[in-house]
Amino acid sequence: MKIVKLNRSQMIIAILALAVLILGALQIKDMMQKPDNSLTLYQEIAFADDMEEVEALMLEGYEENFDPEAVEHMMRADRQALGIEQFTLVEFHDRTYLVESSPGTDQLYILNIEEPPEEIRDYFEE
């Protein structure tokens, strides 16, 4: 095996080319990922070409929760969401907390934490 020696300018070019490849790969990875927050999820639903594209976003085993009528409503071009909120429900044996976080940001930020009414807890326990 022959070792090739690179001069300084060739080394710089090689490093820059490698950096461009890595940055390109990261961009492609970001574009290929599924939605990772409520805002991108809504965008995936609203701008989907067909119902099957939205069905592909369902987690396997939860297909029975798919509501075609709701999806069709969100996909209509004449509709625009007035707001998109993102919530996490944290359940304990004796309490449940609703955490509202910021949709569409690189990092999730907490906007609000509160204990929801008992009816909300009961609804999500079903």
Side-chain angles (χ1 to χ4, degrees):
M1 184 168 158
K2 185 177 180 182
I3 297 177
V4 178
K5 289 192 174 190
L6 301 176
N7 64 34
R8 183 180 169 109
S9 62
Q10 290 173 324
M11 183 67 80
I12 291 171
I13 291 171
I15 290 171
L16 288 175
L18 182 60
V20 167
L21 285 172
I22 290 171
L23 289 174
L26 290 173
Q27 289 295 321
I28 290 171
K29 177 187 163 275
D30 284 345
M31 291 184 333
M32 300 295 284
Q33 284 184 326
K34 294 288 185 188
D36 58 355
N37 65 60
S38 296
L39 179 61
T40 56
L41 178 63
Y42 166 72
Q43 291 170 339
E44 289 283 327
I45 294 169
F47 301 116
D49 293 326
D50 54 40
M51 194 69 68
E52 290 77 30
E53 196 174 317
V54 179
E55 283 181 280
L57 297 172
M58 292 292 295
L59 184 61
E60 189 175 327
Y62 288 83
E63 295 84 1
E64 67 188 35
N65 297 331
F66 187 79
D67 182 351
E69 185 179 322
V71 172
E72 185 177 295
H73 185 88
M74 287 187 272
M75 289 176 68
R76 287 183 47 182
D78 64 334
R79 305 267 162 107
Q80 183 177 3
L82 298 176
I84 299 170
E85 285 81 28
Q86 181 167 293
F87 294 95
T88 301
L89 207 59
V90 182
E91 295 180 290
F92 296 94
H93 290 291
D94 59 341
R95 290 183 175 192
T96 298
Y97 291 100
L98 190 62
V99 180
E100 182 182 5
S101 56
S102 56
T105 55
D106 290 336
Q107 174 184 333
L108 292 180
Y109 293 96
I110 295 172
L111 303 178
N112 190 18
I113 299 175
E114 63 182 77
E115 191 171 357
E118 194 66 33
E119 300 83 41
I120 301 292
R121 179 184 173 144
D122 294 342
Y123 175 81
F124 284 104
E125 283 182 346
E126 291 178 3

